[in-house]
Amino acid sequence: MQTRIETISKGIIRVRRSEDFKETWLERYKILNAQPEEGADAGFTVTENAVTLPSGRVLPMNIWTDAQDKAWNDRLNAMLERYADKKLGQRVIIGDPGEHRQSAMEAPERTEHTPFGFSLGVNETERFYGLGEGNRTGLNLRGATYQNWVYYQFDEAPIPFFMSSEGWGVLINNDWKHFVDVAAERSDLVSVCGQDGETDVFILAGESMQDVLRLYSRLTGHNMLLPKWAYGLTYIAPIFADQYEVTNDARLFRAKHIPCDMISLEPGWMTKFYDHGTDKQWEITRFHMPHYRSKPHPESFITALKRYGFKLKLWLCVDYDLTAEEERIVKGEDTCTPEAWFNHLRAFVQDGVDAFKLDPCEMVYEVHPGLNYANGSCDEQMHNLNQVLLGKQMYRGFVDETGRRPMHHYCGAYTGMQKWSAFTTGDNGGKQGALIWIMNMALSGMQNTSCDMNVHDAQAIHFGLLLPWGHLNSWYGFSQPWWAGDELEAVFTYYARLRYRLMPYIYSSAIEGHEEDLPMLRPMPIAFPDCRETWDCVTQYMFGDWLMVTVFSDRVYLPEGRWEDFWTGKIYEGGQEIGYTAPEGRGGGLFVRRGAIIPMWKDRDYVFQYDDSEIELAVYPEGRTEYTLREDDGLSLDYETKRSCHTRIVCDEQAGETVLTIGRRDGDYQGKAAKRLWKIRVHGAKTPVRVALEDDCDAFEIAGEEK
């Protein structure tokens, strides 16, 4: 075997030890873009023995080159022993999987392996973040060992990427099970090893962790942008609800003016409960779908929902060989056997279905050691990679069928999943554990995250409706807000309406996450890297540029600056920890960073109920600050190829007046309002406010301060 060191681009060097250096599955299937840029200068250097960062700091490096090396073998065996009970996927099957799968008990376990490993020297003070859901208790990875291997409820979304607080990181290009020791065995060493595959890593180096996240996206893709309506509220109906129960729930959302954009059906919509196959049918005793005339049919329950602004989502479970379709694409063939997974879903899209929930059933959590795929791989190698292939094929299949952005979500993930799918934390509830995983996913490059909201707890409502997208799961039957009791129904209603008022801010943050690779939910160590008091904080996070959410704690640390309580208007000086109790009817803290410029909408029941010709700006003057409002049509795929419409807004608190300058709306998109009315609401200005418009088509009004 030989070692090859290759510059990929500014800030990225690849280190690989291989016999043939053939393309990996991640490269072949366009999950990983490892194509070198011609003439690129990485800005740092790597040898077989060391990484020299742009700062001049040297990280000693050791690549495992001899399978007989006792120290490495002992290290690997210790990790295998530690995770012995999580050796294969955990069986969580309900229903009858497809016949093309075989039981894990029918084939012998593999006994031949090709171990690999490498290590980097680290200092005593740097912190490490990433690895997806690997960290279950905090954010800082240091002092523990992690297994990159999909395992139900333990680590369903391992992302083989980690970064240092000192501006460097590592992406591990290995789809087999492997381990990452983050200064656990030795405080001066981070090491990676596994039983199978090659040493193949990308060393990333910049000036900050934000830089490293951007470099990770350079290799694996930018965060996908969901349809605008998907950043509202999704409601999952009870598992055996029929079309009349579903439409009655929809009626109650509208009658009670609880904003909601999507209703989702669980596996009870299928004739065959938990159908893993490719001949799924509507259970017509619960959901009658008239197929004898046009599609979508004007008398179907789906069309009825659409008339009142609702989208419909269907639950799916998957047991399929996805590699056949990937090989067809690579080879440029017209058909494949078995056929593409998404093909059997086209009929449901034609019925009017807009989205899908992907369940981690047989394919992803049950491992079949003797099974070979269409691409020649065994299931142990495909186990991790299947996660992202499923997201990718759902994305591409929906795009090919509709020409629109897809919305599907999944609780499994691996390298690059942020480009292909939204994400939930699965079956771990909607409280502290979900928040920790969501923060760690953000530190691993994933933006579009959510969890099953707990409607029976005010704190969980506060948290669940201040996430990138809202997800209320009533699978058990009585998690609708109107069955939570009058008090909690009022709490839920308030937060849902607040979320929709904040939608221009939320959606602009989502676009920023796609364009700038900075997720809208920003854990404190990436939002305030110099604030050591919040380096491992799991009870507060920034939501976009200006809002800080705190939850599940009565203590809040306020970074430098001034912070205003969104609920009460009270202003706090930063640089201190405070005790905090949320007012009655609220589930946690929501603090505005003074200087904020926050775009908002008027109340509405669903995202596209009104156009965007009116925007309210909530302005909190503090020196000179600026904000870029990002907009597009919210539906098309234009975001993949062009920049969104940008409006630069500057608030300058001067000696005699506060000047708010609203720039031109730079860019175009379908449905862009020819003229916009800006409604300005200024909070706590010390001087008179003057508004300057740079776009002759726009107008403004100044309203009084309001809470």
Side-chain angles (χ1 to χ4, degrees), residues 96-117:
D96 182 21
E99 294 180 356
H100 63 281
R101 291 288 183 187
Q102 57 182 309
S103 167
M105 303 302 293
E106 295 176 357
E109 183 181 347
R110 294 173 63 251
T111 56
E112 294 185 5
H113 302 279
T114 56
F116 78 97

PDB file of all heavy atoms in Angstrom, residues 96-117:
ATOM      1  N   ASP A  96     -43.833  -6.957   7.370  1.00  0.00           N
ATOM      2  CA  ASP A  96     -43.134  -7.979   6.608  1.00  0.00           C
ATOM      3  C   ASP A  96     -42.247  -7.319   5.569  1.00  0.00           C
ATOM      4  O   ASP A  96     -42.732  -6.751   4.596  1.00  0.00           O
ATOM      5  CB  ASP A  96     -44.161  -8.878   5.919  1.00  0.00           C
ATOM      6  CG  ASP A  96     -43.490 -10.002   5.150  1.00  0.00           C
ATOM      7  OD1 ASP A  96     -42.330 -10.309   5.463  1.00  0.00           O
ATOM      8  OD2 ASP A  96     -44.134 -10.550   4.248  1.00  0.00           O
ATOM      9  N   PRO A  97     -40.910  -7.369   5.734  1.00  0.00           N
ATOM     10  CA  PRO A  97     -40.031  -6.758   4.740  1.00  0.00           C
ATOM     11  C   PRO A  97     -40.062  -7.516   3.423  1.00  0.00           C
ATOM     12  O   PRO A  97     -40.576  -8.629   3.334  1.00  0.00           O
ATOM     13  CB  PRO A  97     -38.654  -6.833   5.397  1.00  0.00           C
ATOM     14  CG  PRO A  97     -38.750  -7.956   6.357  1.00  0.00           C
ATOM     15  CD  PRO A  97     -40.170  -7.959   6.852  1.00  0.00           C
ATOM     16  N   GLY A  98     -39.505  -6.903   2.384  1.00  0.00           N
ATOM     17  CA  GLY A  98     -39.540  -7.476   1.048  1.00  0.00           C
ATOM     18  C   GLY A  98     -38.796  -8.790   0.945  1.00  0.00           C
ATOM     19  O   GLY A  98     -37.856  -9.074   1.686  1.00  0.00           O
ATOM     20  N   GLU A  99     -39.199  -9.610  -0.025  1.00  0.00           N
ATOM     21  CA  GLU A  99     -38.625 -10.936  -0.165  1.00  0.00           C
ATOM     22  C   GLU A  99     -37.186 -10.909  -0.667  1.00  0.00           C
ATOM     23  O   GLU A  99     -36.475 -11.896  -0.559  1.00  0.00           O
ATOM     24  CB  GLU A  99     -39.486 -11.763  -1.117  1.00  0.00           C
ATOM     25  CG  GLU A  99     -40.883 -12.043  -0.566  1.00  0.00           C
ATOM     26  CD  GLU A  99     -41.714 -12.858  -1.530  1.00  0.00           C
ATOM     27  OE1 GLU A  99     -41.215 -13.136  -2.638  1.00  0.00           O
ATOM     28  OE2 GLU A  99     -42.846 -13.214  -1.174  1.00  0.00           O
ATOM     29  N   HIS A 100     -36.753  -9.794  -1.261  1.00  0.00           N
ATOM     30  CA  HIS A 100     -35.387  -9.755  -1.776  1.00  0.00           C
ATOM     31  C   HIS A 100     -34.361  -9.566  -0.669  1.00  0.00           C
ATOM     32  O   HIS A 100     -33.176  -9.574  -0.919  1.00  0.00           O
ATOM     33  CB  HIS A 100     -35.234  -8.641  -2.815  1.00  0.00           C
ATOM     34  CG  HIS A 100     -35.450  -7.270  -2.270  1.00  0.00           C
ATOM     35  ND1 HIS A 100     -36.702  -6.749  -2.047  1.00  0.00           N
ATOM     36  CD2 HIS A 100     -34.574  -6.314  -1.891  1.00  0.00           C
ATOM     37  CE1 HIS A 100     -36.597  -5.522  -1.568  1.00  0.00           C
ATOM     38  NE2 HIS A 100     -35.309  -5.232  -1.461  1.00  0.00           N
ATOM     39  N   ARG A 101     -34.833  -9.418   0.575  1.00  0.00           N
ATOM     40  CA  ARG A 101     -33.918  -9.374   1.712  1.00  0.00           C
ATOM     41  C   ARG A 101     -33.877 -10.743   2.373  1.00  0.00           C
ATOM     42  O   ARG A 101     -34.866 -11.467   2.403  1.00  0.00           O
ATOM     43  CB  ARG A 101     -34.394  -8.342   2.736  1.00  0.00           C
ATOM     44  CG  ARG A 101     -34.278  -6.918   2.242  1.00  0.00           C
ATOM     45  CD  ARG A 101     -32.839  -6.482   2.179  1.00  0.00           C
ATOM     46  NE  ARG A 101     -32.741  -5.097   1.771  1.00  0.00           N
ATOM     47  CZ  ARG A 101     -31.607  -4.484   1.504  1.00  0.00           C
ATOM     48  NH1 ARG A 101     -30.476  -5.123   1.585  1.00  0.00           N
ATOM     49  NH2 ARG A 101     -31.600  -3.224   1.140  1.00  0.00           N
ATOM     50  N   GLN A 102     -32.738 -11.077   2.958  1.00  0.00           N
ATOM     51  CA  GLN A 102     -32.630 -12.323   3.693  1.00  0.00           C
ATOM     52  C   GLN A 102     -32.358 -12.026   5.156  1.00  0.00           C
ATOM     53  O   GLN A 102     -31.899 -10.955   5.515  1.00  0.00           O
ATOM     54  CB  GLN A 102     -31.506 -13.196   3.123  1.00  0.00           C
ATOM     55  CG  GLN A 102     -30.147 -12.486   3.114  1.00  0.00           C
ATOM     56  CD  GLN A 102     -29.083 -13.346   2.497  1.00  0.00           C
ATOM     57  OE1 GLN A 102     -28.926 -14.491   2.877  1.00  0.00           O
ATOM     58  NE2 GLN A 102     -28.354 -12.794   1.537  1.00  0.00           N
ATOM     59  N   SER A 103     -32.686 -12.957   6.013  1.00  0.00           N
ATOM     60  CA  SER A 103     -32.492 -12.770   7.444  1.00  0.00           C
ATOM     61  C   SER A 103     -31.012 -12.699   7.776  1.00  0.00           C
ATOM     62  O   SER A 103     -30.188 -13.387   7.184  1.00  0.00           O
ATOM     63  CB  SER A 103     -33.137 -13.921   8.219  1.00  0.00           C
ATOM     64  OG  SER A 103     -32.711 -13.898   9.563  1.00  0.00           O
ATOM     65  N   ALA A 104     -30.689 -11.881   8.767  1.00  0.00           N
ATOM     66  CA  ALA A 104     -29.293 -11.780   9.205  1.00  0.00           C
ATOM     67  C   ALA A 104     -28.792 -13.088   9.792  1.00  0.00           C
ATOM     68  O   ALA A 104     -27.589 -13.301   9.914  1.00  0.00           O
ATOM     69  CB  ALA A 104     -29.162 -10.659  10.230  1.00  0.00           C
ATOM     70  N   MET A 105     -29.705 -13.995  10.149  1.00  0.00           N
ATOM     71  CA  MET A 105     -29.306 -15.251  10.766  1.00  0.00           C
ATOM     72  C   MET A 105     -28.935 -16.310   9.722  1.00  0.00           C
ATOM     73  O   MET A 105     -28.423 -17.353  10.066  1.00  0.00           O
ATOM     74  CB  MET A 105     -30.447 -15.775  11.644  1.00  0.00           C
ATOM     75  CG  MET A 105     -30.881 -14.791  12.732  1.00  0.00           C
ATOM     76  SD  MET A 105     -29.532 -14.344  13.837  1.00  0.00           S
ATOM     77  CE  MET A 105     -29.260 -15.909  14.642  1.00  0.00           C
ATOM     78  N   GLU A 106     -29.168 -16.032   8.448  1.00  0.00           N
ATOM     79  CA  GLU A 106     -28.986 -17.056   7.424  1.00  0.00           C
ATOM     80  C   GLU A 106     -27.580 -17.079   6.834  1.00  0.00           C
ATOM     81  O   GLU A 106     -27.256 -17.960   6.065  1.00  0.00           O
ATOM     82  CB  GLU A 106     -29.998 -16.842   6.297  1.00  0.00           C
ATOM     83  CG  GLU A 106     -31.435 -17.047   6.757  1.00  0.00           C
ATOM     84  CD  GLU A 106     -32.418 -16.736   5.653  1.00  0.00           C
ATOM     85  OE1 GLU A 106     -31.969 -16.314   4.559  1.00  0.00           O
ATOM     86  OE2 GLU A 106     -33.620 -16.911   5.871  1.00  0.00           O
ATOM     87  N   ALA A 107     -26.765 -16.088   7.123  1.00  0.00           N
ATOM     88  CA  ALA A 107     -25.436 -16.027   6.522  1.00  0.00           C
ATOM     89  C   ALA A 107     -24.378 -15.862   7.604  1.00  0.00           C
ATOM     90  O   ALA A 107     -24.608 -15.204   8.616  1.00  0.00           O
ATOM     91  CB  ALA A 107     -25.363 -14.865   5.541  1.00  0.00           C
ATOM     92  N   PRO A 108     -23.213 -16.450   7.424  1.00  0.00           N
ATOM     93  CA  PRO A 108     -22.149 -16.320   8.436  1.00  0.00           C
ATOM     94  C   PRO A 108     -21.581 -14.917   8.458  1.00  0.00           C
ATOM     95  O   PRO A 108     -21.594 -14.195   7.459  1.00  0.00           O
ATOM     96  CB  PRO A 108     -21.101 -17.328   7.964  1.00  0.00           C
ATOM     97  CG  PRO A 108     -21.322 -17.438   6.488  1.00  0.00           C
ATOM     98  CD  PRO A 108     -22.805 -17.294   6.297  1.00  0.00           C
ATOM     99  N   GLU A 109     -21.067 -14.534   9.592  1.00  0.00           N
ATOM    100  CA  GLU A 109     -20.427 -13.224   9.739  1.00  0.00           C
ATOM    101  C   GLU A 109     -19.089 -13.213   9.022  1.00  0.00           C
ATOM    102  O   GLU A 109     -18.389 -14.221   8.954  1.00  0.00           O
ATOM    103  CB  GLU A 109     -20.226 -12.932  11.224  1.00  0.00           C
ATOM    104  CG  GLU A 109     -19.641 -11.562  11.495  1.00  0.00           C
ATOM    105  CD  GLU A 109     -19.429 -11.324  12.982  1.00  0.00           C
ATOM    106  OE1 GLU A 109     -19.961 -12.124  13.778  1.00  0.00           O
ATOM    107  OE2 GLU A 109     -18.725 -10.363  13.322  1.00  0.00           O
ATOM    108  N   ARG A 110     -18.722 -12.047   8.464  1.00  0.00           N
ATOM    109  CA  ARG A 110     -17.420 -11.907   7.816  1.00  0.00           C
ATOM    110  C   ARG A 110     -16.302 -12.060   8.844  1.00  0.00           C
ATOM    111  O   ARG A 110     -16.407 -11.595   9.972  1.00  0.00           O
ATOM    112  CB  ARG A 110     -17.309 -10.538   7.150  1.00  0.00           C
ATOM    113  CG  ARG A 110     -18.255 -10.342   5.994  1.00  0.00           C
ATOM    114  CD  ARG A 110     -18.219  -8.912   5.491  1.00  0.00           C
ATOM    115  NE  ARG A 110     -16.908  -8.562   4.982  1.00  0.00           N
ATOM    116  CZ  ARG A 110     -16.077  -7.725   5.597  1.00  0.00           C
ATOM    117  NH1 ARG A 110     -16.422  -7.170   6.735  1.00  0.00           N
ATOM    118  NH2 ARG A 110     -14.902  -7.436   5.071  1.00  0.00           N
ATOM    119  N   THR A 111     -15.230 -12.713   8.435  1.00  0.00           N
ATOM    120  CA  THR A 111     -14.101 -12.910   9.351  1.00  0.00           C
ATOM    121  C   THR A 111     -12.827 -12.244   8.851  1.00  0.00           C
ATOM    122  O   THR A 111     -11.889 -12.057   9.619  1.00  0.00           O
ATOM    123  CB  THR A 111     -13.830 -14.409   9.549  1.00  0.00           C
ATOM    124  OG1 THR A 111     -13.602 -15.009   8.274  1.00  0.00           O
ATOM    125  CG2 THR A 111     -15.025 -15.072  10.231  1.00  0.00           C
ATOM    126  N   GLU A 112     -12.752 -11.901   7.552  1.00  0.00           N
ATOM    127  CA  GLU A 112     -11.564 -11.256   7.010  1.00  0.00           C
ATOM    128  C   GLU A 112     -11.750  -9.744   7.029  1.00  0.00           C
ATOM    129  O   GLU A 112     -12.761  -9.220   6.593  1.00  0.00           O
ATOM    130  CB  GLU A 112     -11.307 -11.736   5.580  1.00  0.00           C
ATOM    131  CG  GLU A 112     -10.939 -13.212   5.497  1.00  0.00           C
ATOM    132  CD  GLU A 112     -10.580 -13.615   4.085  1.00  0.00           C
ATOM    133  OE1 GLU A 112     -10.527 -12.727   3.207  1.00  0.00           O
ATOM    134  OE2 GLU A 112     -10.347 -14.812   3.866  1.00  0.00           O
ATOM    135  N   HIS A 113     -10.745  -9.047   7.521  1.00  0.00           N
ATOM    136  CA  HIS A 113     -10.843  -7.600   7.648  1.00  0.00           C
ATOM    137  C   HIS A 113      -9.526  -6.956   7.207  1.00  0.00           C
ATOM    138  O   HIS A 113      -8.469  -7.588   7.205  1.00  0.00           O
ATOM    139  CB  HIS A 113     -11.147  -7.203   9.097  1.00  0.00           C
ATOM    140  CG  HIS A 113     -12.402  -7.809   9.631  1.00  0.00           C
ATOM    141  ND1 HIS A 113     -13.647  -7.292   9.377  1.00  0.00           N
ATOM    142  CD2 HIS A 113     -12.602  -8.910  10.414  1.00  0.00           C
ATOM    143  CE1 HIS A 113     -14.565  -8.033   9.974  1.00  0.00           C
ATOM    144  NE2 HIS A 113     -13.955  -9.026  10.615  1.00  0.00           N
ATOM    145  N   THR A 114      -9.607  -5.687   6.824  1.00  0.00           N
ATOM    146  CA  THR A 114      -8.417  -4.908   6.446  1.00  0.00           C
ATOM    147  C   THR A 114      -8.357  -3.675   7.334  1.00  0.00           C
ATOM    148  O   THR A 114      -8.855  -2.614   6.956  1.00  0.00           O
ATOM    149  CB  THR A 114      -8.484  -4.502   4.966  1.00  0.00           C
ATOM    150  OG1 THR A 114      -9.714  -3.787   4.725  1.00  0.00           O
ATOM    151  CG2 THR A 114      -8.440  -5.721   4.072  1.00  0.00           C
ATOM    152  N   PRO A 115      -7.783  -3.782   8.519  1.00  0.00           N
ATOM    153  CA  PRO A 115      -7.804  -2.674   9.485  1.00  0.00           C
ATOM    154  C   PRO A 115      -7.094  -1.423   8.961  1.00  0.00           C
ATOM    155  O   PRO A 115      -6.191  -1.494   8.128  1.00  0.00           O
ATOM    156  CB  PRO A 115      -7.073  -3.260  10.699  1.00  0.00           C
ATOM    157  CG  PRO A 115      -7.151  -4.736  10.530  1.00  0.00           C
ATOM    158  CD  PRO A 115      -7.107  -4.972   9.062  1.00  0.00           C
ATOM    159  N   PHE A 116      -7.527  -0.278   9.462  1.00  0.00           N
ATOM    160  CA  PHE A 116      -6.884   0.990   9.111  1.00  0.00           C
ATOM    161  C   PHE A 116      -6.877   1.872  10.348  1.00  0.00           C
ATOM    162  O   PHE A 116      -7.601   1.630  11.315  1.00  0.00           O
ATOM    163  CB  PHE A 116      -7.638   1.698   7.978  1.00  0.00           C
ATOM    164  CG  PHE A 116      -8.887   2.403   8.431  1.00  0.00           C
ATOM    165  CD1 PHE A 116      -8.880   3.763   8.710  1.00  0.00           C
ATOM    166  CD2 PHE A 116     -10.079   1.701   8.598  1.00  0.00           C
ATOM    167  CE1 PHE A 116     -10.023   4.411   9.147  1.00  0.00           C
ATOM    168  CE2 PHE A 116     -11.231   2.344   9.037  1.00  0.00           C
ATOM    169  CZ  PHE A 116     -11.203   3.702   9.303  1.00  0.00           C
ATOM    170  N   GLY A 117      -6.054   2.938  10.307  1.00  0.00           N
ATOM    171  CA  GLY A 117      -6.055   3.887  11.408  1.00  0.00           C
ATOM    172  C   GLY A 117      -5.091   5.035  11.174  1.00  0.00           C
ATOM    173  O   GLY A 117      -4.164   4.937  10.375  1.00  0.00           O
TER     174      GLY A 117
END
